[in-house]
Amino acid sequence: MSELIACHECDLLTRLPELPPGGCAHCPRCGCLLQRDRPNSIEKTLALSFAGLVLFIAAVSFPFLAMKAGGFEQHSNLLTGVWLLLEQKMVLLAMVVLLTCVLFPLAGILGLLYVLLPLHFGRRLPRAEVVFRLVSHLQPWSMMEVFMLGILVSLVKLGHLAEVIPGISLWAFAVLIFVLAAQAAVLDPHQVWERLEALR
């Protein structure tokens, strides 16, 4: 029997037909996309998650930026901004930056690895459903793109005051943004839920 699914826009319950490779299903009432077939979604997402983890480790481990002016050179890493905000007693802002630019993206990567790696081998770990649901809720709060935009604006403004030298961490962080975007694009949540249900 075909799967019964509720439209995300108008809540119409619809029997979801079996999709051909690369096909998609739309709501018969409002035309909203219900599901798109993404071949090898779990394997592709898993590969991008591993790549994202490597890039994240590089982003927090190496120098982010270096500023050189008057013979003086100062290096900073990804967490320097958080420490500076804490030193200026802006605790709430520091926590927002730490959560949205560091902890939430890391939790999303590790959460997907926790769920998808066992699924790839036909297994499921305890509380996998809870972890996957948490990853879905955290995804909108990951704001690395906003952080990167702020860095680019700062580079433009500081360019005439000092020589700004991008570090390895900056390039890793920039590539990480695209990797996480690709990860979100290839992930098929329906396929993950079906695999989790089948292994219950």
Side-chain angles (χ1 to χ4, degrees):
M1 184 177 293
S2 58
E3 179 187 357
L4 190 65
I5 188 172
C7 175
H8 305 295
E9 296 295 328
C10 67
D11 292 329
L12 177 69
L13 291 177
T14 308
R15 289 285 177 191
L16 192 65
E18 186 173 346
L19 298 177
C24 57
H26 294 270
C27 174
R29 178 193 288 167
C30 67
C32 173
L33 178 66
L34 296 176
Q35 187 174 351
R36 184 186 303 277
D37 179 66
R38 297 180 174 98
N40 301 319
S41 170
I42 291 177
E43 290 72 19
K44 291 176 183 177
T45 307
L46 193 57
L48 289 168
S49 297
F50 276 117
L53 183 60
V54 171
L55 289 167
F56 187 90
I57 292 171
V60 297
S61 302
F62 294 98
F64 200 80
L65 286 174
M67 293 186 63
K68 186 185 294 185
F72 178 72
E73 186 172 332
Q74 182 177 4
H75 293 268
S76 62
N77 59 30
L78 191 57
L79 299 176
T80 301
V82 177
W83 306 131
L84 291 175
L85 289 171
L86 287 174
E87 288 177 0
Q88 296 176 20
K89 310 300 182 186
M90 299 181 184
V91 179
L92 185 59
L93 186 57
M95 291 304 298
V96 169
V97 173
L98 180 64
L99 289 173
T100 59
C101 298
V102 180
L103 296 184
F104 286 168
L106 178 61
I109 293 170
L110 294 178
L112 283 177
L113 288 174
Y114 180 87
V115 175
L116 300 182
L117 188 58
L119 283 184
H120 177 67
F121 295 103
R123 300 180 180 274
R124 61 185 292 274
L125 293 179
R127 314 289 288 180
E129 296 94 339
V130 176
V131 174
F132 189 63
R133 191 174 290 114
L134 180 62
V135 169
S136 301
H137 290 310
L138 288 180
Q139 189 174 5
W141 293 98
S142 176
M143 301 185 181
M144 300 173 70
E145 302 87 354
V146 178
F147 185 70
M148 192 66 182
L149 184 60
I151 292 169
L152 294 175
V153 172
S154 301
L155 288 175
V156 172
K157 289 183 174 291
L158 295 174
H160 65 283
L161 298 176
E163 182 183 357
V164 181
I165 307 169
I168 296 175
S169 177
L170 178 63
W171 300 114
F173 192 81
V175 176
L176 176 60
I177 292 173
F178 289 100
V179 168
L180 294 184
Q183 173 188 278
V186 301
L187 176 62
D188 185 357
H190 294 283
Q191 190 178 135
V192 176
W193 286 117
E194 286 173 2
R195 292 267 196 104
L196 289 173
E197 188 65 28
L199 293 169
R200 186 183 290 272

